[in-house]
Amino acid sequence: MAISYRHNEAVVAHTALFNRSNYRCPLKLHLDNPHGEFRISSYAEDAIVVNDERYTGSVIVTPTDPPESWDLNEIARLDIQAMEPLLAGKPEVVLIGTGPRQIFPDVAVLAYLSKREIGIEIMDSRAACRTFNIVAGEGRRVVAGLLPLAAGSG
C-alpha cells in the first residue's frame, strides 16, 4: 500500500510537534490508489465502506472487482459451499472477518483451503478490513469475506 503526504504539511506538522505542549501532529496521510482498485475506506456497526460506497450486510471484497453481497449472516454457518464465491478469482489469500470478535470456523473449511494451497486468516472484521488494504497494496491476490460488526456470532 502506497501512502503519500504533502511535504509542506509534514514540515509544518513536524515543527508544530515541537512547538506545542500537547504534541498533536496534524499530518495528513493520503492513500494512493492510481489504478481505480477497490479499497476498504472504513467500517461501522452496520456497513463496510469500499471506495466511499456503503455496503450493508456481509460483503465480499477484492482489489479488482466491485464488492458483492455475501449470503452469510453468522460465522457458525460458514462451510465449504459458503466459501465458493470467495474462491472464484483464485486468490492466494482469503481473509475472513467474523464480525465484532474473532471466531474460528469449522476445521473442515480450513482443511479444504489448505488442500487447495490457499492461505486463510480468520480475524474480527475490523482487523480483516485493515489487513485487506495492506495485502491488496502489496499487489497480492486477496479476497475478504466480511461480516458486519453487528453480525450474530452464532
Side-chain angles (χ1 to χ4, degrees), residues 6 12 24 28 30 34 39 50 70-71 76 80 91 108 111 116 120-121 136:
R6 294 186 184 102
V12 168
R24 292 189 183 177
K28 294 180 182 178
H30 304 277
R39 294 293 191 268
V50 179
W70 190 23
D71 189 26
I80 294 169
R116 294 181 69 168
I120 184 165
E121 294 290 335

Side-chain angles (χ1 to χ4, degrees), residues 25-140:
C25 182
L27 180 66
K28 294 180 182 178
L29 299 177
H30 304 277
L31 179 64
D32 283 339
N33 193 4
H35 306 294
E37 295 177 336
F38 295 95
R39 294 293 191 268
I40 298 172
S41 309
S42 65
Y43 47 82
E45 284 291 312
D46 63 340
I48 305 292
V49 181
V50 179
N51 290 16
D52 298 322
E53 183 93 17
R54 289 178 59 88
Y55 294 87
T56 58
S58 299
V59 65
I60 298 171
V61 183
T62 72
T64 56
D65 299 314
E68 60 184 72
S69 178
W70 190 23
D71 189 26
L72 184 75
N73 57 8
E74 293 182 48
I75 198 63
R77 296 181 183 206
L78 180 63
D79 59 13
I80 294 169
Q81 183 178 355
M83 290 294 297
E84 288 303 322
L86 280 74
L87 306 178
K90 301 188 183 338
E92 59 184 285
V93 179
V94 174
L95 305 174
I96 303 295
T98 60
R101 58 192 177 104
Q102 182 183 37
I103 302 169
F104 286 92
D106 188 291
V107 70
V109 173
L110 304 176
Y112 177 74
L113 293 174
S114 179
K115 285 180 189 173
R116 294 181 69 168
E117 297 183 353
I118 299 171
I120 184 165
E121 294 290 335
I122 309 296
M123 56 194 77
D124 69 71
S125 291
R126 290 176 189 92
C129 289
R130 293 187 302 267
T131 302
F132 173 83
N133 285 343
I134 292 168
V135 176
E138 293 171 348
R140 297 174 67 192

